[in-house]
Amino acid sequence: MPPCTEPLSADAAASLWRHRDFRRYLTGQAASVAGSSITQMALPVLAVLHLDATTAQVAWLAFLGQLPPALLALHAGALADRHSKRRQMITGDLVSATVLATVPVSAALGTLTLTQLMIVAVAQGAASVLHDAAAISLLPSLVDRSLIQRSNSRVGALFAVAATAGSHLGAALTALLGPARALLGDVASYLISAVCTARVQTAEPARVRPEIRRLRGEIGEGLRYVRGDDRLWTLTLVNATTSFALGLLNTLWALYLLRSLAMSATAFGVVLGLGALGAAAGALTAPALARRCGPGPMMLAALAITPLTQLPLLLASPGRAWQITIGAALFVQLACAGAAGTTQRSIRQIVTTAGMQARMQAVSTWLTSGARPVAALLAGALGTWIGVRSALTAGTLLLLIPLVVLARSPIRALRKMPDPPAALLPSPPAARTSPPAVPTPARTDDTRPDRALGGDAS
């Protein structure tokens, strides 16, 4: 394991908030996350209540929305490493805004159909994949690598809050304007994101690879890069197996609470709010926990606690006491997810060279996104064959797999954040004969980081 950096000083932490480009990045991406939550709330209401969608049609709408990340993540990552990340982000935002704006327009004209909603879901999903692949990998070029973990902490916490605020705003807009016009809130969020990204001034690292290379070769290079680094491969497997288990649980979770445990819609909203607070708390405390306990032991503890937080759900019966217990358990679960997710993403970004950032992230996104539809199908089959509670028990047991993967790797003993690759370290003054191949990030006190929710599972 390479030598480790020293803990961040108070001055370094303070300088992050004086980083103008970081603030612009954070503002744009938080607006985008809030807007996406509006759509996630309003679109099913539009489909079910206004277009009379059947259960199968609703399932197809959800499936088509999840399909683009599984199919396009690797290509989007290769494009982001080949071309300007900011340009790719802006393009994705503008395409998403344009496609989504067709829904309220068609609704006003009386021509909106379920087929159009499905096409919009696919097109917007594809544009979001392009945006996210570039946005996540842009962070390491905006701030010094010693600030990456603290930057991810701020990003994860704000995104958790933005997602919750977006859901509440979506509910209010849907009640006031109707679900179709409520989507204009998400259209506005994409435009805000595009403007903030356009105002970012930090120069991106020089792209040294010839642009005539075949995209397939660059995708293969990204896959080999991740597979060849034990740290990246271990954390990617942890992400993918966690995503699969949570995909199974999340498919049945709301159904179980609302139907089997007779939880009211108000109580359900309060429980979700507690979870969002947990995600924010976990992301904010991640740097301090990593310094105190070590990144490896901290992530291992978070993965060990996560299956235990499912026990109240499995043991619960209808009643307020159990509702409070489930809310508290969800707070702890998402706090663990926020802390571990922020830390593992920071490690991956620190140890990855500048020219591979987007492809490294794309491999993780591809595996985690591909796991979710499969997990949803398995959840439906298990829930039908053995019952919802038994299916949730199976999902809880699957959460032990990422714990075992991390426990069997050297990362479990990582006591400090790793150093960046040798190619990114400055050369000794006497030996330096030319500027370094990768530009030094702009000063963090006068310059700027994206859009995956919380400590992303990816």
Side-chain angles (χ1 to χ4, degrees), residues 298-326:
M298 185 270 280
M299 290 189 293
L300 194 65
L303 290 176
I305 292 171
T306 299
L308 299 178
T309 63
Q310 297 297 315
L311 294 180
L313 182 68
L314 300 177
L315 300 174
S317 55
R320 178 163 298 178
W322 277 113
Q323 293 174 1
I324 295 172
T325 303
I326 291 172

Side-chain angles (χ1 to χ4, degrees), residues 206-226:
R207 291 173 292 278
V208 299
R209 297 192 179 279
E211 306 223 351
I212 60 173
R213 289 189 65 190
R214 296 184 63 182
L215 201 62
R216 183 185 302 175
E218 296 189 15
I219 291 173
E221 187 179 26
L223 289 167
R224 290 190 296 273
Y225 183 86
V226 172

Side-chain angles (χ1 to χ4, degrees), residues 244-261 268 306-317 326 330 333 375-376 378-400:
F244 185 85
L246 292 179
L248 192 156
L249 290 166
N250 292 341
T251 300
L252 301 173
W253 190 71
L255 175 67
Y256 184 68
L257 290 181
L258 295 172
R259 182 172 296 173
S260 300
L261 298 185
F268 184 66
T306 299
L308 299 178
T309 63
Q310 297 297 315
L311 294 180
L313 182 68
L314 300 177
L315 300 174
S317 55
I326 291 172
L330 184 62
Q333 176 189 335
L378 179 60
L382 290 177
T384 301
W385 294 337
I386 63 177
V388 174
R389 189 189 293 261
S390 298
L392 290 172
T393 302
T396 300
L397 294 175
L398 287 174
L399 285 172
L400 296 174

Side-chain angles (χ1 to χ4, degrees), residues 25-33 89 131 135 159 193 197 449-451:
Y25 170 89
L26 195 59
T27 300
Q29 303 316 304
S32 189
V33 168
M89 291 167 63
H131 173 282
F159 283 10
S193 175
T197 302
D450 165 309
R451 170 193 183 145

Side-chain angles (χ1 to χ4, degrees), residues 150-225:
R150 198 166 291 267
S151 299
N152 277 321
S153 170
R154 303 297 190 270
V155 169
L158 184 58
F159 283 10
V161 174
T164 303
S167 296
H168 293 308
L169 179 59
L173 291 175
T174 298
L176 291 173
L177 305 176
R181 282 181 288 184
L183 296 177
L184 292 173
D186 196 9
V187 173
S189 77
Y190 282 117
L191 298 178
I192 293 171
S193 175
V195 170
C196 290
T197 302
R199 296 186 63 200
V200 170
Q201 299 175 354
T202 303
E204 296 183 38
R207 291 173 292 278
V208 299
R209 297 192 179 279
E211 306 223 351
I212 60 173
R213 289 189 65 190
R214 296 184 63 182
L215 201 62
R216 183 185 302 175
E218 296 189 15
I219 291 173
E221 187 179 26
L223 289 167
R224 290 190 296 273
Y225 183 86

Side-chain angles (χ1 to χ4, degrees), residues 109-125:
L109 296 175
T111 59
L112 183 64
T113 64
L114 274 170
T115 300
Q116 180 179 342
L117 281 189
M118 292 180 181
I119 294 172
V120 167
V122 173
Q124 185 187 5

